[in-house]
């Protein structure tokens, strides 16, 4: 057991564990969430965007789960084996202590820098009693019900709700069916292997130790490329693993989060399906990994997104894992939602929106990738040129913005800024690599957009930039202008905007709201929590404005909000510190990495200059 692990009583609210009481495991094809009570409360198979087998996280009675439930459980702790996604849950019970080790094994010897599938389509659960004698219930209950058929070394499971899926549960102890009660004494173990292969043949014999060691080796070999020497180094490492767990290894797509419909406010309706690849989120992810030496993911993402653009003729906001339009958004009336926060949604209607920032995300990602690799092949450049030209034409056209409002479009400042990024990066790549293109025209367009932002997005009365050209409310995405090199952080208008955002969007404790729906209508009822990434953007602005000590203090306080496992949600409840929104969220872990890199660079510079 890790010496610094904190055991805590289990506390359910409305029948649910807190969101932060769950750990993430995965294999580059899908992911599972394991609660501190030993329950797998979330698993979609065979992919992130497949219908869930278990979604007890969204309905503890009807969602389904894979439980290992010891009698008399009163407190528990979780931790990861170092530099791996192998999760340990230790539960103290009335008669003893039980340890469950969970992972999704990957193919032995796999190289995570290659765009290939490494999934074995398995979930391995190893149970060991470390003290006393523990009686426990092992229950597998897929959503929609199931039937079990005995097989050598386990059971075959037919899911009523997923007739397309063939499940097998292999076990080193006899199973009575979907529910089995077993008793283990100190030193005794049981191992359970759930697989969802296409074949209906059961893997009845398996070597759990070898599966774990092979998986650990694959992940540690990938993480050995990480290069970071800065604040909060353990959390940066965990953030890199977390983002990689959201990567669809086979083709470079990266999902925003592995879950759907975890609410942005308990009891509210802002519940969305994040199991898809947003161009913006994925581009942020690969850039963050690139900055700490994990560069391969940028190439995979670029190839994946440009193939998708070629199919559609223009970039979309998001795609499914195959680079196609996600399914239509629908509400699931069978599930009550996390803590009765309905509706539960599958699919995402934002896929039909126009968001012009995607041009800048793709071009900036290509620029960073090319700076590392030193070249841009002609076919790639032909595709990037078209995107730069489109950005130069569309930057004034209203869209739905980074926050995907469900009102009519507006000429959002962030969208215009990222169109400026697109044409600016086209200029930089053309000049650096001697590539053909209307460089003078792009340069003029980039400056035209920049001047429009400085003049048309500025509100003299508010003393700040505003959410869209011509006025509007405050928007925390304005904090990205210096980070994308559109407006310098120490520009007087940017300093004033930073101050205004803290004053007007501050939620307390260094937290920020994205915007105020009363001032910036988004077409959605209710409110939400504080958005973590916005606070990391504030860290970067303060650091670049010479407020390095304050920036470092804020960064440390944000990192301290991570759960015991080093995982972060999309949002935080400012009143309680509880996690809100889909979890774990790539955006928040991007903030940990990117702000850490920025602070490390500025701290070194400060040290060198005395």
């Amino acid at each position: 057991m890790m010496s610094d692990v904190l055991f805590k009583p289990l506390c359910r609210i409305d029948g649910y564990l807190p969101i932060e009481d769950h750990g993430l495991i995965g294999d580059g094809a899908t992911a599972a969430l394991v609660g501190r009570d030993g329950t797998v409360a979330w698993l979609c198979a065979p992919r992130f965007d497949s219908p869930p087998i278990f979604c007890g996280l969204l309905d503890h009675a009807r969602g389904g789960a894979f439980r290992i439930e010891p009698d008399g459980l009163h407190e528990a702790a979780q931790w990861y084996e170092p530099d791996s996604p192998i999760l340990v849950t230790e539960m103290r019970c009335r008669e003893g202590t039980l340890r469950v080790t969970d992972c999704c094994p990957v193919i032995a010897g796999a190289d995570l820098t290659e765009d290939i599938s490494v999934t074995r389509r398995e979930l391995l659960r190893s149970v060991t009693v470390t003290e006393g004698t523990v009686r426990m219930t092992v229950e597998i209950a897929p959503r929609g019900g199931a039937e079990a058929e005995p097989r050598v070394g386990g059971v075959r499971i037919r899911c009523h709700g997923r007739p397309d899926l063939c499940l097998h549960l292999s076990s080193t102890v006899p199973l009575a069916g979907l529910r089995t009660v077993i008793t283990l004494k100190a030193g005794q173990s049981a191992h359970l292997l759930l697989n969802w292969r296409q074949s209906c043949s059961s893997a009845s014999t398996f070597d759990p130790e070898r599966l774990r060691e092979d998986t650990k080796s694959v992940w540690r070999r990938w993480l050995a490329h990480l290069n970071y020497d800065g604040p909060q180094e353990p959390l940066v490492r965990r953030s890199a693993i977390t983002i990689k767990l959201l990567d669809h290894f086979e083709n470079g797509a990266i999902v925003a989060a592995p879950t759907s419909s975890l609410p942005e406010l308990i009891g509210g309706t802002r519940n969305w399906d994040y199991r898809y690849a947003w161009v913006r989120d994925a581009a942020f992810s690969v850039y963050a990994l690139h900055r700490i030496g994990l560069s391969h993911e940028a190439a995979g993402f670029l190839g994946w997104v440009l193939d998708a653009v070629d199919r559609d003729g223009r970039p979309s906001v998001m795609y499914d894992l195959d680079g196609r339009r996600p399914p239509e958004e629908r509400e699931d009336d069978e599930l009550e939602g996390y803590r009765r926060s309905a509706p539960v949604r599958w699919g995402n209607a934002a896929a039909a929106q126009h968001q012009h920032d995607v041009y800048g995300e793709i071009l900036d990602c290509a620029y960073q990738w090319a700076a590392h690799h030193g070249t841009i092949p002609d076919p790639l450049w032909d595709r990037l040129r078209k995107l730069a030209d489109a950005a130069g034409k569309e930057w004034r056209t209203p869209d739905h913005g980074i926050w995907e409002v469900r009102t009519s479009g507006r000429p959002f400042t962030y969208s215009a800024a990222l169109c400026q990024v697109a044409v600016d990066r086209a200029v930089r790549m053309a000049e650096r690599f001697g590539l053909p293109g209307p460089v003078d025209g792009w340069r003029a367009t980039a400056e035209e957009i920049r001047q429009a932002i400085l003049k048309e997005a500025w509100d003299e009365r508010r003393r700040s930039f505003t959410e869209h050209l011509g006025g509007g409310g405050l928007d925390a995405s304005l904090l990205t202008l210096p980070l994308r090199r559109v407006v310098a952080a120490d520009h007087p208008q940017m300093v004033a905007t930073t101050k205004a955002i803290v004053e007007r969007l501050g939620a307390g404790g260094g937290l920020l709201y994205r915007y105020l729906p009363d001032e910036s209508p988004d077409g959605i009822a209710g409110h939400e929590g504080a958005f973590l990434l916005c606070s990391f953007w504030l860290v970067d602005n303060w650091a670049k404005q010479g407020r390095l000590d304050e920036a470092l203090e804020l960064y440390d306080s944000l990192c301290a909000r991570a759960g015991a496992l080093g995982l972060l949600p999309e949002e935080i409840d400012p009143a309680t510190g509880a996690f809100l929104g889909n979890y774990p969220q790539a955006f928040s872990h991007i903030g940990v990495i990117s702000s850490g890199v920025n602070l490390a660079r500025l701290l070194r510079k400060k040290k060198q200059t005395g």
Side-chain angles (χ1 to χ4, degrees):
M1 186 184 70
M2 304 289 285
S3 59
D4 57 348
V5 166
L6 178 62
F7 280 83
K8 297 187 300 181
L10 291 162
C11 178
R12 289 182 175 83
I13 307 173
D14 303 323
Y16 294 85
L17 288 177
I19 293 172
E20 51 266 42
D21 273 12
H22 295 85
L24 178 74
I25 58 174
D27 61 3
T30 190
L33 292 183
V34 184
R36 204 159 52 88
D37 61 353
T39 296
V40 177
W42 183 267
L43 173 65
C44 298
R47 312 192 318 178
F48 293 105
D49 56 358
S50 299
I53 302 174
F54 310 125
C55 57
L57 200 60
L58 299 179
D59 193 314
H60 65 87
R62 290 172 292 184
F66 185 177
R67 300 181 182 88
I68 297 176
E69 186 175 346
D71 290 355
L73 173 61
H74 61 87
E75 65 177 5
Q78 285 184 311
W79 66 90
Y80 282 110
E81 292 192 7
D83 285 350
S84 84
I86 298 174
L87 179 68
V88 181
T89 305
E90 189 154 305
M91 294 173 275
R92 290 177 176 168
C93 316
R94 186 172 51 247
E95 304 296 336
T97 300
L98 177 70
R99 180 177 297 175
V100 180
T101 303
D102 287 303
C103 73
C104 290
V106 297
I107 294 172
D111 184 350
L112 299 191
T113 66
E114 297 180 356
D115 288 329
I116 58 172
S117 174
V118 303
T119 177
R120 294 174 53 94
R121 297 190 174 207
E122 294 174 340
L123 168 62
L124 174 64
R125 314 203 71 191
S126 293
V127 185
T128 301
V129 170
T130 59
E131 297 176 10
T133 299
V134 179
R135 182 178 183 269
M136 72 200 76
T137 301
V138 175
E139 181 180 20
I140 184 163
R143 183 190 178 186
E147 296 174 0
E149 301 174 9
R151 287 289 188 271
V152 176
V155 294
R156 178 184 175 186
I157 302 167
R158 295 184 180 274
C159 303
H160 297 161
R162 291 289 305 277
D164 60 308
L165 209 57
C166 190
L167 300 182
H168 290 94
L169 181 60
S170 301
S171 174
T172 60
V173 297
L175 298 177
L178 297 175
R179 186 175 186 274
T180 303
V181 177
I182 63 175
T183 300
L184 298 177
K185 298 178 181 179
Q188 292 182 328
S189 298
H191 305 279
L192 303 156
L193 185 71
L194 177 67
N195 76 61
W196 46 91
R197 298 194 183 104
Q198 297 295 328
S199 164
C200 286
S201 61
S202 174
S204 58
T205 60
F206 59 97
D207 183 343
E209 187 62 30
R210 180 184 61 79
L211 289 173
R212 275 194 303 274
E213 288 304 313
D214 287 345
T215 299
K216 191 184 306 181
S217 175
V218 166
W219 279 92
R220 289 181 177 175
R221 188 162 59 249
W222 173 77
L223 200 64
H225 298 285
L226 187 147
N227 180 20
Y228 177 77
D229 181 17
Q232 299 287 342
E233 191 264 350
L235 189 60
V236 168
R237 297 179 77 85
R238 180 52 53 188
S239 293
I241 294 172
T242 302
I243 292 173
K244 186 64 174 175
L245 281 169
L246 304 181
D247 184 5
H248 189 234
F249 295 171
E250 185 175 333
N251 61 12
I254 300 177
V255 299
T259 54
S260 175
S261 301
L262 289 177
E264 296 174 8
L265 187 71
I266 300 300
T269 62
R270 294 172 180 254
N271 316 322
W272 315 111
D273 190 349
Y274 276 13
R275 302 169 304 140
Y276 306 107
W278 272 253
V279 171
R280 174 191 316 114
D281 299 45
F284 279 24
S285 295
V286 298
Y287 181 46
L289 294 178
H290 170 78
R291 298 186 76 189
I292 54 175
L294 304 170
S295 300
H296 168 79
E297 285 68 20
F301 165 72
L302 269 178
W304 172 82
V305 74
L306 291 173
D307 285 347
V309 170
D310 285 349
R311 273 195 298 271
D312 296 348
R314 59 170 293 146
S316 295
V317 175
M318 74 180 84
Y319 299 92
D320 71 6
L321 299 179
D322 295 322
R324 303 188 185 280
R325 178 71 64 87
E328 294 293 324
E329 183 174 298
R330 66 178 181 87
E331 296 184 3
D332 189 335
D333 295 332
E334 293 181 359
L335 301 176
E336 70 172 11
Y338 176 78
R339 290 183 58 190
R340 295 191 281 280
S341 300
V344 168
R345 292 185 173 96
W346 308 113
N348 199 303
Q353 293 184 351
H354 291 303
Q355 297 173 21
H356 301 325
D357 66 294
V358 293
Y359 297 117
E361 313 296 2
I362 296 171
L363 268 291
D364 199 28
C365 181
Y367 174 69
Q368 303 297 337
W369 177 83
H372 177 76
H373 291 277
T375 183
I376 295 182
D378 290 342
L380 173 59
W381 179 241
D382 289 342
R383 299 157 97 181
L384 296 174
R385 278 186 59 175
K386 293 176 183 176
L387 296 178
D389 289 339
K393 293 175 183 175
E394 295 188 25
W395 64 274
R396 278 194 179 275
T397 306
D399 72 346
H400 293 89
I402 180 176
W403 307 130
E404 301 175 349
V405 299
R406 299 199 174 192
T407 59
S408 57
R410 307 196 277 276
F412 284 100
T413 305
Y414 180 86
S415 298
L418 267 290
C419 287
Q420 193 274 351
V421 168
V423 290
D424 173 80
R425 302 308 187 263
V427 170
R428 293 173 185 267
M429 286 186 280
E431 292 183 337
R432 181 167 183 168
F433 301 109
L435 299 167
V439 173
D440 290 340
W442 283 336
R443 185 181 290 110
T445 300
E447 184 58 24
E448 180 187 0
I449 299 172
R450 183 176 179 276
Q451 290 301 321
I453 290 170
L454 291 173
K455 296 172 184 176
E456 297 177 40
W458 178 256
D459 185 322
E460 185 61 34
R461 179 180 59 85
R462 290 179 181 268
R463 297 295 299 164
S464 73
F465 292 121
T466 55
E467 68 172 3
H468 61 264
L469 303 180
L474 273 173
D475 182 346
S477 70
L478 297 166
L479 293 171
T480 66
L481 298 181
L483 312 183
R484 310 312 283 268
R485 295 191 284 191
V486 178
V487 179
D490 59 358
H491 189 289
Q493 287 172 276
M494 196 64 231
V495 172
T497 298
T498 305
K499 182 174 183 290
I501 286 173
V502 172
E503 291 175 352
R504 293 283 296 133
L505 300 183
L511 298 173
L512 296 174
Y513 296 110
R514 295 186 291 180
Y515 54 89
L516 301 178
D518 295 340
E519 291 186 2
S520 306
D522 58 12
I524 310 165
H527 291 262
E528 62 182 27
F531 202 85
L532 272 173
L533 181 59
C534 298
S535 291
F536 285 109
W537 289 339
L538 177 60
V539 169
D540 297 332
N541 276 264
W542 277 355
K544 291 174 181 288
Q545 290 167 9
R547 301 169 65 176
L548 190 54
D549 290 343
E550 292 169 274
L552 186 59
E553 183 179 357
L554 175 57
Y555 179 71
D556 287 340
S557 74
L558 295 172
C559 292
R561 292 186 180 275
L565 294 169
L567 302 180
L568 286 164
E570 178 184 27
E571 299 182 4
I572 295 285
D573 182 338
T576 65
F579 288 9
L580 294 172
N582 284 305
Y583 166 89
Q585 175 80 1
F587 257 166
S588 300
H589 290 279
I590 289 162
V592 171
I593 295 173
S594 293
S595 294
V597 170
N598 290 335
L599 288 169
R601 179 176 57 82
L602 291 170
L603 287 168
R604 285 194 298 271
K605 183 177 179 181
K606 180 180 179 180
K607 185 176 181 180
Q608 290 167 358
T609 57

Coordinates of all heavy atoms in Angstrom, one line a residue, residues 401-453:
G401 N -19.3 29.8 -31.5 CA -18.3 30.1 -30.6 C -17.7 28.9 -29.8 O -18.3 27.8 -29.9
I402 N -16.7 29.1 -29.1 CA -16.0 28.1 -28.3 C -16.9 27.4 -27.3 O -16.8 26.2 -27.1 CB -14.8 28.6 -27.6 CG1 -14.0 27.5 -26.9 CG2 -15.1 29.8 -26.7 CD1 -12.7 28.0 -26.2
W403 N -17.9 28.1 -26.8 CA -18.8 27.6 -25.8 C -20.1 27.0 -26.4 O -21.0 26.6 -25.6 CB -19.1 28.6 -24.7 CG -17.9 29.2 -24.1 CD1 -17.7 30.6 -23.9 CD2 -16.7 28.6 -23.5 NE1 -16.5 30.8 -23.3 CE2 -15.8 29.6 -23.1 CE3 -16.3 27.3 -23.4 CZ2 -14.6 29.3 -22.5 CZ3 -15.1 27.0 -22.8 CH2 -14.3 28.0 -22.4
E404 N -20.2 27.0 -27.7 CA -21.3 26.3 -28.4 C -22.7 26.7 -27.9 O -23.5 25.9 -27.5 CB -21.1 24.8 -28.2 CG -19.8 24.3 -28.7 CD -19.5 22.8 -28.4 OE1 -20.2 22.2 -27.7 OE2 -18.5 22.3 -29.0
V405 N -22.9 28.0 -28.0 CA -24.2 28.6 -27.6 C -25.3 28.0 -28.5 O -25.0 27.6 -29.6 CB -24.2 30.1 -27.6 CG1 -23.2 30.7 -26.7 CG2 -24.0 30.6 -29.1
R406 N -26.5 27.9 -27.9 CA -27.6 27.3 -28.7 C -28.6 28.4 -29.0 O -29.8 28.2 -29.1 CB -28.2 26.1 -27.9 CG -27.2 25.0 -27.8 CD -27.8 23.7 -27.5 NE -26.7 22.6 -27.5 CZ -27.0 21.3 -27.5 NH1 -28.2 20.9 -27.5 NH2 -26.0 20.5 -27.5
T407 N -28.1 29.6 -29.2 CA -28.8 30.8 -29.7 C -28.4 31.0 -31.1 O -27.6 30.2 -31.7 CB -28.6 32.0 -28.9 OG1 -27.1 32.3 -28.9 CG2 -29.0 31.8 -27.4
S408 N -28.8 32.1 -31.8 CA -28.3 32.4 -33.1 C -26.9 32.8 -33.0 O -26.4 33.2 -31.9 CB -29.2 33.5 -33.7 OG -29.2 34.7 -32.8
G409 N -26.1 32.7 -34.0 CA -24.7 33.0 -34.0 C -24.3 34.4 -33.8 O -25.1 35.3 -34.0
R410 N -23.1 34.6 -33.3 CA -22.5 36.0 -33.2 C -21.1 36.0 -33.7 O -20.5 34.9 -33.7 CB -22.6 36.4 -31.7 CG -24.0 36.2 -31.0 CD -24.1 37.0 -29.7 NE -23.6 36.3 -28.6 CZ -24.2 35.4 -27.8 NH1 -25.4 35.0 -28.2 NH2 -23.7 34.8 -26.8
P411 N -20.5 37.1 -34.0 CA -19.1 37.1 -34.4 C -18.2 37.1 -33.2 O -17.7 38.2 -32.8 CB -19.0 38.5 -35.2 CG -20.1 39.3 -34.6 CD -21.2 38.4 -34.2
F412 N -18.0 35.9 -32.6 CA -17.3 35.8 -31.4 C -15.9 36.2 -31.5 O -15.2 35.9 -32.5 CB -17.4 34.4 -30.8 CG -18.7 34.1 -30.2 CD1 -19.7 33.3 -30.9 CD2 -19.0 34.5 -28.9 CE1 -20.9 33.0 -30.3 CE2 -20.2 34.2 -28.3 CZ -21.2 33.5 -29.0
T413 N -15.4 36.9 -30.5 CA -14.0 37.4 -30.5 C -13.0 36.2 -30.6 O -12.0 36.3 -31.3 CB -13.7 38.2 -29.2 OG1 -14.7 39.3 -29.2 CG2 -12.3 38.8 -29.3
Y414 N -13.3 35.2 -29.8 CA -12.4 34.0 -29.8 C -12.3 33.4 -31.2 O -11.3 33.0 -31.7 CB -12.9 32.9 -28.8 CG -12.0 31.7 -28.8 CD1 -10.9 31.7 -27.9 CD2 -12.3 30.6 -29.5 CE1 -10.0 30.6 -27.9 CE2 -11.5 29.5 -29.5 CZ -10.3 29.5 -28.7 OH -9.5 28.4 -28.7
S415 N -13.5 33.3 -31.9 CA -13.5 32.7 -33.2 C -12.7 33.6 -34.2 O -11.9 33.0 -35.0 CB -14.9 32.6 -33.7 OG -15.7 31.7 -32.9
A416 N -12.9 34.9 -34.1 CA -12.1 35.8 -35.0 C -10.6 35.6 -34.7 O -9.8 35.6 -35.6 CB -12.5 37.2 -34.8
A417 N -10.3 35.6 -33.4 CA -8.9 35.4 -33.0 C -8.2 34.2 -33.5 O -7.1 34.2 -34.0 CB -8.8 35.5 -31.5
L418 N -9.0 33.1 -33.5 CA -8.4 31.8 -34.0 C -8.4 31.8 -35.6 O -7.5 31.1 -36.1 CB -9.2 30.6 -33.5 CG -8.6 30.0 -32.2 CD1 -7.3 29.3 -32.5 CD2 -8.4 31.1 -31.1
C419 N -9.2 32.6 -36.2 CA -9.0 32.8 -37.7 C -7.7 33.6 -37.9 O -7.0 33.3 -38.9 CB -10.2 33.5 -38.3 SG -11.7 32.5 -38.4
Q420 N -7.5 34.5 -37.0 CA -6.2 35.3 -37.1 C -5.0 34.3 -37.0 O -4.0 34.4 -37.7 CB -6.1 36.4 -36.1 CG -5.0 37.4 -36.3 CD -3.7 37.0 -35.7 OE1 -3.6 36.0 -34.9 NE2 -2.7 37.8 -36.0
V421 N -5.1 33.4 -36.0 CA -4.1 32.4 -35.8 C -3.9 31.5 -37.0 O -2.8 31.3 -37.4 CB -4.5 31.5 -34.6 CG1 -3.6 30.3 -34.5 CG2 -4.4 32.3 -33.3
A422 N -5.0 31.2 -37.7 CA -4.9 30.3 -38.9 C -4.0 31.0 -40.0 O -3.1 30.4 -40.5 CB -6.3 30.0 -39.4
V423 N -4.3 32.3 -40.3 CA -3.6 32.9 -41.4 C -2.2 33.3 -40.9 O -1.2 33.2 -41.7 CB -4.4 34.1 -41.9 CG1 -5.6 33.7 -42.7 CG2 -4.8 35.1 -40.8
D424 N -2.0 33.7 -39.7 CA -0.7 34.0 -39.1 C 0.2 32.7 -39.2 O 1.4 32.8 -39.6 CB -0.8 34.4 -37.7 CG 0.6 34.6 -37.1 OD1 1.2 35.6 -37.3 OD2 1.0 33.7 -36.3
R425 N -0.3 31.6 -38.8 CA 0.5 30.3 -38.9 C 0.8 29.9 -40.3 O 1.9 29.4 -40.6 CB -0.1 29.2 -38.1 CG -0.4 29.5 -36.7 CD 0.7 30.0 -35.8 NE 0.4 30.1 -34.4 CZ 0.0 31.2 -33.8 NH1 -0.1 32.3 -34.5 NH2 -0.3 31.1 -32.5
A426 N -0.1 30.2 -41.2 CA 0.2 29.9 -42.6 C 1.3 30.8 -43.1 O 2.2 30.3 -43.8 CB -1.1 30.2 -43.5
V427 N 1.4 32.0 -42.7 CA 2.5 32.9 -43.1 C 3.8 32.4 -42.5 O 4.8 32.2 -43.2 CB 2.3 34.3 -42.5 CG1 3.5 35.2 -42.7 CG2 1.1 35.0 -43.3
R428 N 3.8 32.0 -41.2 CA 5.0 31.5 -40.6 C 5.5 30.2 -41.2 O 6.7 30.1 -41.4 CB 4.7 31.3 -39.1 CG 4.4 32.6 -38.3 CD 4.0 32.2 -36.9 NE 3.6 33.4 -36.1 CZ 4.4 34.1 -35.3 NH1 5.7 33.8 -35.2 NH2 4.0 35.2 -34.7
M429 N 4.6 29.3 -41.6 CA 5.0 28.1 -42.2 C 5.5 28.3 -43.6 O 6.6 27.7 -44.0 CB 3.9 27.1 -42.2 CG 3.6 26.5 -40.8 SD 2.3 25.1 -40.8 CE 0.8 26.1 -40.9
A430 N 4.9 29.2 -44.3 CA 5.3 29.4 -45.7 C 6.7 30.0 -45.7 O 7.6 29.7 -46.5 CB 4.3 30.4 -46.4
E431 N 7.0 31.0 -44.8 CA 8.3 31.6 -44.8 C 9.3 30.7 -44.2 O 10.5 30.7 -44.7 CB 8.2 32.9 -43.9 CG 7.3 34.0 -44.6 CD 7.3 35.3 -43.8 OE1 7.5 35.2 -42.5 OE2 7.0 36.3 -44.3
R432 N 9.0 29.9 -43.2 CA 10.0 29.1 -42.6 C 10.4 27.9 -43.5 O 11.6 27.6 -43.5 CB 9.5 28.5 -41.3 CG 10.4 27.6 -40.5 CD 10.0 27.3 -39.1 NE 10.9 26.6 -38.4 CZ 10.9 26.4 -37.1 NH1 9.9 26.9 -36.4 NH2 11.8 25.6 -36.4
F433 N 9.5 27.4 -44.2 CA 9.8 26.2 -45.0 C 9.8 26.5 -46.6 O 9.9 25.5 -47.3 CB 8.8 25.1 -44.7 CG 8.8 24.7 -43.3 CD1 7.7 25.0 -42.5 CD2 9.8 24.0 -42.7 CE1 7.7 24.7 -41.1 CE2 9.8 23.6 -41.4 CZ 8.8 24.0 -40.6
G434 N 9.7 27.8 -46.9 CA 9.8 28.1 -48.4 C 8.6 27.5 -49.1 O 8.8 27.1 -50.3
L435 N 7.4 27.6 -48.6 CA 6.2 27.0 -49.2 C 5.4 28.1 -50.0 O 5.4 29.3 -49.7 CB 5.3 26.4 -48.1 CG 6.0 25.3 -47.3 CD1 5.1 25.0 -46.1 CD2 6.1 24.0 -48.2
P436 N 4.8 27.7 -51.1 CA 4.0 28.6 -51.9 C 2.8 29.1 -51.3 O 2.1 28.3 -50.5 CB 3.8 27.8 -53.2 CG 3.7 26.4 -52.8 CD 4.7 26.3 -51.7
G437 N 2.3 30.3 -51.6 CA 1.1 30.8 -51.0 C 1.0 32.3 -51.1 O 2.1 33.0 -51.2
P438 N -0.2 32.9 -50.9 CA -0.3 34.3 -50.9 C 0.1 35.0 -49.6 O -0.7 35.5 -48.8 CB -1.8 34.5 -51.2 CG -2.4 33.3 -50.6 CD -1.5 32.2 -50.8
V439 N 1.4 34.9 -49.3 CA 1.9 35.3 -48.0 C 1.6 36.7 -47.7 O 1.1 37.0 -46.5 CB 3.4 35.0 -47.9 CG1 4.0 35.6 -46.6 CG2 3.7 33.6 -48.1
D440 N 1.7 37.7 -48.6 CA 1.4 39.1 -48.3 C 0.0 39.3 -48.0 O -0.4 40.0 -47.1 CB 1.9 39.9 -49.5 CG 3.4 40.0 -49.6 OD1 4.1 39.7 -48.7 OD2 3.8 40.4 -50.7
G441 N -0.9 38.6 -48.7 CA -2.3 38.7 -48.4 C -2.7 38.1 -47.1 O -3.5 38.7 -46.4
W442 N -2.1 36.9 -46.8 CA -2.4 36.3 -45.4 C -1.9 37.3 -44.3 O -2.6 37.5 -43.3 CB -1.6 35.0 -45.3 CG -2.3 33.9 -46.0 CD1 -3.6 33.7 -46.4 CD2 -1.6 32.7 -46.5 NE1 -3.8 32.5 -47.0 CE2 -2.6 31.9 -47.1 CE3 -0.3 32.2 -46.4 CZ2 -2.3 30.6 -47.7 CZ3 0.0 31.0 -47.0 CH2 -1.0 30.2 -47.6
R443 N -0.7 37.9 -44.5 CA -0.2 38.8 -43.5 C -1.1 40.0 -43.3 O -1.4 40.4 -42.2 CB 1.2 39.2 -43.9 CG 1.9 40.0 -42.8 CD 3.3 40.5 -43.2 NE 4.3 39.4 -43.3 CZ 4.8 38.9 -44.4 NH1 4.4 39.4 -45.6 NH2 5.6 37.9 -44.3
A444 N -1.6 40.5 -44.4 CA -2.5 41.7 -44.3 C -3.8 41.3 -43.6 O -4.3 42.0 -42.8 CB -2.8 42.2 -45.7
T445 N -4.3 40.1 -43.9 CA -5.5 39.6 -43.3 C -5.3 39.4 -41.8 O -6.2 39.8 -41.0 CB -6.0 38.3 -43.9 OG1 -6.3 38.6 -45.3 CG2 -7.3 37.8 -43.3
A446 N -4.2 38.8 -41.4 CA -3.9 38.6 -40.0 C -3.9 39.9 -39.2 O -4.5 40.0 -38.1 CB -2.6 37.9 -39.8
E447 N -3.3 40.9 -39.8 CA -3.2 42.2 -39.1 C -4.6 42.9 -39.1 O -5.0 43.6 -38.1 CB -2.2 43.2 -39.8 CG -2.0 44.5 -39.1 CD -1.6 44.4 -37.7 OE1 -1.0 43.4 -37.3 OE2 -1.8 45.4 -36.9
E448 N -5.4 42.7 -40.2 CA -6.7 43.3 -40.2 C -7.6 42.7 -39.1 O -8.3 43.4 -38.4 CB -7.4 43.0 -41.6 CG -8.8 43.5 -41.7 CD -9.5 43.1 -43.0 OE1 -8.9 42.3 -43.8 OE2 -10.7 43.4 -43.2
I449 N -7.5 41.4 -38.9 CA -8.3 40.7 -37.8 C -7.8 41.2 -36.5 O -8.6 41.5 -35.6 CB -8.2 39.2 -37.9 CG1 -8.7 38.7 -39.3 CG2 -8.9 38.5 -36.8 CD1 -8.4 37.2 -39.5
R450 N -6.5 41.3 -36.3 CA -6.0 41.8 -35.0 C -6.5 43.2 -34.7 O -6.9 43.4 -33.6 CB -4.5 41.7 -35.1 CG -3.8 42.1 -33.7 CD -2.3 41.9 -33.8 NE -1.7 42.3 -32.5 CZ -1.4 43.6 -32.2 NH1 -1.6 44.6 -33.1 NH2 -0.9 43.9 -31.0
Q451 N -6.4 44.1 -35.7 CA -6.9 45.4 -35.4 C -8.4 45.5 -35.1 O -8.9 46.3 -34.3 CB -6.5 46.3 -36.6 CG -5.1 46.6 -36.8 CD -4.4 47.3 -35.6 OE1 -5.1 48.2 -34.9 NE2 -3.2 46.9 -35.2
A452 N -9.1 44.6 -35.8 CA -10.6 44.6 -35.6 C -10.9 44.2 -34.1 O -11.8 44.7 -33.5 CB -11.3 43.6 -36.5
I453 N -10.1 43.2 -33.6 CA -10.3 42.8 -32.2 C -9.9 43.9 -31.3 O -10.7 44.2 -30.3 CB -9.4 41.5 -31.9 CG1 -9.9 40.3 -32.7 CG2 -9.3 41.2 -30.4 CD1 -9.0 39.1 -32.7

